[in-house]
Amino acid sequence: SLQYFPPAKTFEGPAAGAVLVCSTHSCFSDLGFEDGVNCIKHKEFDIKDFRNKVSYYLEHPDELRHIQKRGEQLVKEKYNHHAIAEMAYTRISKLIL
């Protein structure tokens, strides 16, 4: 996203088994995404780096598979309906109390 607000695909893709490819902007790190661990990050606004990263992982499917599994796990554990409801409840409670 050019607005530094992660779109729905940030969560939907990994939940469906795809690998998140995103920029190095901190909004993705704030959500728990780590380069080479549970996503692939490229330098922001750098198409050459994007191509290099994607090409590398396409040539290294075992590494890509590990990233895919950890990305899916992160999203399904941290961003499922129950987890989001709990987070919203906690944040709203802090504002009210």
Side-chain angles (χ1 to χ4, degrees):
S1 171
L2 293 174
Q3 303 299 318
Y4 304 119
F5 183 83
K9 66 182 177 181
T10 302
F11 309 99
E12 294 169 344
V19 174
L20 174 64
V21 179
C22 59
S23 77
T24 54
H25 190 274
S26 63
C27 71
F28 298 104
S29 298
D30 294 345
L31 295 169
F33 290 102
E34 299 176 54
D35 185 31
V37 175
N38 52 27
C39 73
I40 298 169
K41 291 185 180 182
H42 60 85
K43 294 176 190 169
E44 194 170 13
F45 306 118
D46 189 331
I47 293 174
K48 184 177 180 181
D49 190 55
F50 169 84
R51 282 190 198 123
N52 290 341
K53 289 282 188 115
V54 170
S55 294
Y56 172 84
Y57 284 107
L58 288 175
E59 293 171 6
H60 296 87
D62 290 337
E63 289 181 52
L64 186 61
R65 195 171 302 109
H66 289 299
I67 292 169
Q68 180 272 321
K69 287 178 183 178
R70 289 183 291 232
E72 183 177 359
Q73 181 182 12
L74 170 76
V75 170
K76 286 185 175 180
E77 289 177 3
K78 192 171 178 180
Y79 298 105
N80 64 60
H81 293 281
H82 180 74
I84 295 296
E86 285 288 327
M87 181 174 44
Y89 176 80
T90 300
R91 290 181 181 179
I92 291 169
S93 294
K94 287 180 182 178
L95 292 172
I96 294 172
L97 302 177

